[in-house]
Amino acid sequence: MGGDRGEGGKFIMDSITEGFRRAFSLIFTLDIELLKIIFLSLKVSGTALLIATATGLSLGAFVGLKRFPLRGIIISLMNTFMGLPPVVVGLFLYLILSRSGPFGFMGLLYTPSAMVIAQSILAFPIVASLSHSAIVNVDPIIKQASMTLGATPFQVTLNIMREARYGIMSGIIAALGRVMAEVGAILIVGGNIAGYTRVMTTTIALETDKGNFELAIALGIILLLLSLTINMTLHLVQRRGMVKINI
Amino acid sequence: MSLRLTAINICKSYNGKPVLKDCSVSFDSAGIYILMGPNGSGKSTFLRICALLENPDEGKINYFSDIPIIPPLSRGELKRGVFSENNILKRDIELKRRITLLLPRVGVFNTTVFKNAAYGLKIRGMGHDEIEKKVNTVLEFVGLSHKKNHNALTLSSGETQRLGIARAMVIEPEALFLDEPTASVDQENTEIIENIILNMKGKNGSTVIIATHDISQAERLAGRVLIMQDGKIVETSF
């Protein structure tokens, strides 16, 4: 038994070592399939982030700057939806976009557009909630100071958002981190079709299932590097936002 | 070039507690006015209302100018005073851009000293070269040229106050309101700021209204004096 387990462990280690060797080979030879997958991932996540930033930042700013009925409920919803389970988003989107669903006529299911919608839904509350927090934390004196200098309401809003810029950027970067690593929703609505809707995370899941570790490991390394880059950027943004006060 | 203003029967309450009671005064020529009174007498509220940052519950503020207020106030606005709107932000921006108030806490923006000082000009759509020239001059005037590329949040409280004055001065307001401009600074900076105010008086003929509770400061600035007590203007020297 012990010997079997030892041999099994050795087999897995060999597979992983071989996987790493071939993964680096794929990366350094700029394998075309690998590049296509990376490009689609960046395209889907980038587009989703743009949509989520435009909508989420607008909502975050509106809720942060205006007082209106149901504002508290909207804030609670934004915070709750930050933790939306991706598979649940995928399931609901699948039901809406499937042939018998209300938007089935648009034929979006199993297309990159459906993946963009799914990732936008996941990123939107993160951008909205973190932008809202950043904006409400701006000292109220900034609004008054801008007004005393003759700023129009729109200029006052822009100035408050400029003061909240580091917090807003943190929210956008956090949302990017989430969508880049997401697999559940896009697997359901994208279908993981080779050369069409297959992205890094769904490829890793599929290739691991098939026991083809090299492509999975290559993509895993790239995903980790991207994640590291995103987090380092986030760290730098947050550090820039902290001004050393020497009064 | 100055704006003159008249406050007519200004009343203001916060949470049912009256802060200003029927205050009327006319600032009808350029120069320095000192609004004196103990803490809590209503000086800050009165300045905020004169500077169009807040609405009174009753009464009105009328502005007059040799240069017409553009666009001119409507007949309705003239009749009701400029405080016809419920929301300060909707009020005539052209008039608001000819006055400014320096708050007791300056509220500097998280950017360089230069960009802070340039803000008022930038939002007025002034060209880059002109902004640079004006801001450099005003920073020199308040003694902050050497710090123009520093982040404004790193300044000392005295320097912050001087930046606040520079930010207000650069837009060349015709009416300038200063709310306790030296309350949070040391003796050295108090003298610097008072000198800036006195020199400013000579530079352009604007109306400068300063709220202070410091009698010796009122004497040094040698302006016309109004005394406030318990929300009322109890004495004027003009």
Side-chain angles (χ1 to χ4, degrees):
Chain A
M1 282 290 279
D4 283 353
R5 204 180 296 144
E7 276 185 21
K10 188 173 179 297
F11 173 73
I12 289 171
M13 278 312 294
D14 285 348
S15 295
I16 291 173
T17 314
E18 179 61 11
F20 268 105
R21 198 185 62 74
R22 291 178 64 183
F24 280 112
S25 155
L26 283 173
I27 293 169
F28 290 119
T29 56
L30 298 175
D31 180 76
I32 198 78
E33 190 192 351
L34 183 80
L35 289 179
K36 272 185 180 171
I37 293 169
I38 295 168
F39 178 70
L40 183 65
S41 297
L42 293 174
K43 194 173 141 190
V44 168
S45 298
T47 313
L49 191 70
L50 277 178
I51 295 169
T53 301
T55 51
L57 185 54
S58 306
L59 180 69
F62 183 76
V63 176
L65 295 167
K66 298 279 175 200
R67 299 285 174 270
F68 55 91
L70 304 179
R71 181 173 170 265
I73 294 173
I74 292 177
I75 294 169
S76 299
L77 285 175
M78 286 190 317
N79 293 335
T80 309
F81 286 160
M82 275 177 78
L84 267 179
V87 283
V88 177
V89 171
L91 171 66
F92 277 102
L93 208 54
Y94 180 90
L95 293 173
I96 291 167
L97 297 179
S98 65
R99 199 172 287 251
S100 53
F103 293 102
F105 67 93
M106 295 174 88
L108 288 174
L109 197 62
Y110 302 137
T111 65
S113 301
M115 294 155 75
V116 168
I117 296 170
Q119 291 202 342
S120 302
I121 293 171
L122 290 169
F124 167 75
I126 299 174
V127 177
S129 183
L130 296 182
S131 301
H132 165 258
S133 302
I135 287 165
V136 293
N137 282 323
V138 171
D139 191 335
I141 197 80
I142 297 299
K143 181 181 178 182
Q144 293 194 10
S146 311
M147 283 163 69
T148 61
L149 294 167
T152 61
F154 181 66
Q155 288 168 334
V156 171
T157 302
L158 279 185
N159 204 26
I160 292 171
M161 287 174 70
R162 197 177 298 126
E163 287 297 299
R165 61 194 179 276
Y166 297 110
I168 291 171
M169 276 159 72
S170 297
I172 294 170
I173 294 167
L176 178 63
R178 170 143 208 218
V179 293
M180 286 297 293
E182 195 279 318
V183 62
I186 50 168
L187 195 58
I188 295 174
V189 299
N192 208 11
I193 303 164
Y196 186 51
T197 58
R198 189 164 289 175
V199 291
M200 284 196 279
T201 50
T202 55
T203 310
I204 292 172
L206 180 77
E207 297 299 321
T208 307
D209 269 356
K210 283 162 50 183
N212 293 338
F213 292 116
E214 63 270 30
L215 186 57
I217 291 172
L219 288 167
I221 292 168
I222 291 162
L223 203 56
L224 272 175
L225 285 174
L226 278 170
S227 178
L228 187 70
T229 312
I230 291 168
N231 279 301
M232 276 175 63
T233 313
L234 181 61
H235 178 68
L236 284 175
V237 165
Q238 284 168 341
R239 259 188 61 182
R240 261 197 87 179
M242 282 185 273
V243 180
K244 210 173 154 191
I245 300 172
N246 41 0
I247 291 171
Chain B
M1 187 174 74
S2 78
L3 277 173
R4 285 152 286 144
L5 66 142
T6 306
I8 306 163
N9 306 116
I10 301 294
C11 295
K12 182 78 182 175
S13 299
Y14 291 118
N15 302 322
K17 192 186 164 205
V19 179
L20 294 178
K21 302 165 193 163
D22 204 22
C23 294
S24 295
V25 66
S26 191
F27 302 96
D28 49 15
S29 62
I32 293 185
Y33 294 86
I34 311 286
L35 183 57
M36 285 278 303
N39 289 332
S41 57
K43 302 187 297 294
S44 293
T45 308
F46 187 66
L47 277 198
R48 291 168 69 86
I49 287 174
C50 286
L52 309 181
L53 202 61
E54 252 181 79
N55 293 329
D57 298 334
E58 285 173 47
K60 60 182 181 179
I61 300 283
N62 280 335
Y63 273 92
F64 306 95
S65 174
D66 302 330
I67 306 164
I69 293 165
I70 301 167
L73 299 174
S74 67
R75 279 180 66 187
E77 279 178 317
L78 285 173
K79 199 174 163 190
R80 294 190 299 269
V82 291
F83 290 107
S84 52
E85 298 280 349
N86 290 326
N87 186 343
I88 178 77
L89 291 172
K90 288 179 187 159
R91 204 165 297 131
D92 181 8
I93 196 75
E94 290 300 324
L95 171 60
K96 285 186 69 198
R97 284 191 167 176
R98 291 167 63 172
I99 61 179
T100 193
L101 162 69
L102 178 66
L103 298 158
R105 196 157 67 85
V106 174
V108 291
F109 311 137
N110 183 3
T111 184
T112 62
V113 167
F114 182 91
K115 285 184 179 169
N116 262 276
Y119 181 75
L121 299 178
K122 208 174 161 196
I123 58 174
R124 283 161 173 79
M126 193 175 276
H128 183 264
D129 290 347
E130 207 176 344
I131 290 179
E132 183 136 355
K133 203 172 127 193
K134 279 180 183 278
V135 171
N136 283 336
T137 308
V138 85
L139 288 179
E140 182 81 44
F141 188 67
V142 299
L144 283 176
S145 294
H146 63 295
K147 292 209 166 173
K148 72 174 185 178
N149 294 321
H150 290 216
N151 188 300
L153 296 177
T154 63
L155 298 180
S156 70
S157 51
E159 288 169 333
T160 301
Q161 205 66 19
R162 280 190 270 153
L163 174 60
I165 292 177
R167 206 165 60 173
M169 273 176 69
V170 79
I171 56 179
E172 295 171 2
E174 292 165 61
L176 171 62
F177 303 89
L178 304 169
D179 190 0
E180 300 277 7
T182 58
S184 57
V185 301
D186 57 22
Q187 189 55 41
E188 189 190 341
N189 272 294
T190 299
E191 279 173 28
I192 295 171
I193 290 166
E194 285 175 359
N195 281 330
I196 292 169
I197 294 168
L198 288 168
N199 285 329
M200 195 162 60
K201 182 188 168 190
K203 270 177 97 81
N204 58 16
S206 51
T207 303
V208 182
I209 304 173
I210 305 161
T212 180
H213 61 272
D214 183 349
I215 298 171
S216 56
Q217 182 170 64
E219 284 169 358
R220 286 194 297 273
L221 292 173
R224 284 162 279 189
V225 177
L226 301 87
I227 297 173
M228 281 194 87
Q229 207 163 17
D230 295 328
K232 287 182 178 170
I233 295 171
V234 291
E235 206 177 314
T236 56
S237 72
F238 53 94

